[in-house]
Amino acid sequence: DTCKAAANGSGDGQFIFPNRLAVDGAGHVYVVDATRRVQKFDAATGAFILKWGSNGNGDNQFGQAAGIAVDAAGNVYVADQTNARIQKFDSNGTFLVKWGKNGSADGQFNFPSDVSIDAAGNVYVADNGNNRIQMLDSNGIFLDKWGSNGSGDGQFQNPNGVAVDASGNIF
């Protein structure tokens, strides 16, 4: 295994408060950090490949990129907390689609903090401010939700992460 130490900064291959990372099936690592961008690296060598994103609320911009996941086709999903949305990109960083807006209705988010993808391509979002997990298809169509505010079974207090295993179990 090759391990490289990354420098603190906003240059290529550098990080300022990295939030989450994801790995695709081709051996690439994607990292989101406080500079409001996604960086892509070769997992075997640690070599920087490309980056995308900037500060803002337009396409390919982030208020705060917080969570990241990659589906089986190599599409990259980013949870943008302060813009209350999910953005979807291809593996080269080309913007494809976005969905969500601030709110508590189905398909709306309040500070989405993480995103995960199951084997069927369904998207799970840790909807932090709404104390729930939402399930959408890969085009952002709402499918299901669960959770409410509290500390009992099936309840959450500001969930910050979500993961799905190969069997479809959601954590």
Side-chain angles (χ1 to χ4, degrees):
D1 290 338
T2 302
C3 181
K4 291 189 175 188
N8 185 25
S10 59
D12 294 350
Q14 297 178 331
F15 305 106
I16 297 177
F17 300 111
N19 292 324
R20 299 273 199 298
L21 64 86
V23 180
D24 70 14
H28 300 112
V29 177
Y30 299 83
V31 181
V32 293
D33 73 4
T35 59
R36 296 166 177 89
R37 66 181 174 176
V38 176
Q39 292 190 79
K40 180 178 179 180
F41 299 88
D42 182 279
T45 66
F48 171 83
I49 298 173
L50 65 94
K51 67 181 175 190
W52 68 87
S54 63
N55 185 29
N57 60 11
D59 297 347
N60 198 22
Q61 294 182 323
F62 307 104
Q64 183 173 348
I68 188 166
V70 182
D71 68 17
N75 296 307
V76 179
Y77 300 77
V78 179
D80 185 357
Q81 284 184 323
T82 55
N83 288 323
R85 65 185 180 181
I86 304 299
Q87 290 192 70
K88 180 179 175 181
F89 304 88
D90 70 15
S91 62
N92 294 313
T94 302
F95 173 82
L96 300 174
V97 67
K98 64 184 173 210
W99 62 85
K101 65 179 183 176
N102 193 39
S104 59
D106 295 347
Q108 295 179 347
F109 308 109
N110 181 358
F111 215 63
S113 57
D114 200 12
V115 61
S116 189
I117 314 295
D118 70 14
N122 295 310
V123 180
Y124 299 83
V125 178
D127 190 2
N128 182 289
N130 287 321
N131 300 298
R132 66 186 178 185
I133 304 297
Q134 291 197 64
M135 178 180 163
L136 305 101
D137 73 10
S138 62
N139 294 309
I141 304 300
F142 173 82
L143 299 173
D144 201 358
K145 67 181 175 194
W146 57 94
S148 62
N149 188 33
S151 59
D153 292 344
Q155 295 182 317
F156 304 104
Q157 292 180 337
N158 305 108
N160 283 313
V162 62
V164 182
D165 69 14
S167 299
N169 296 304
I170 302 157
F171 302 91

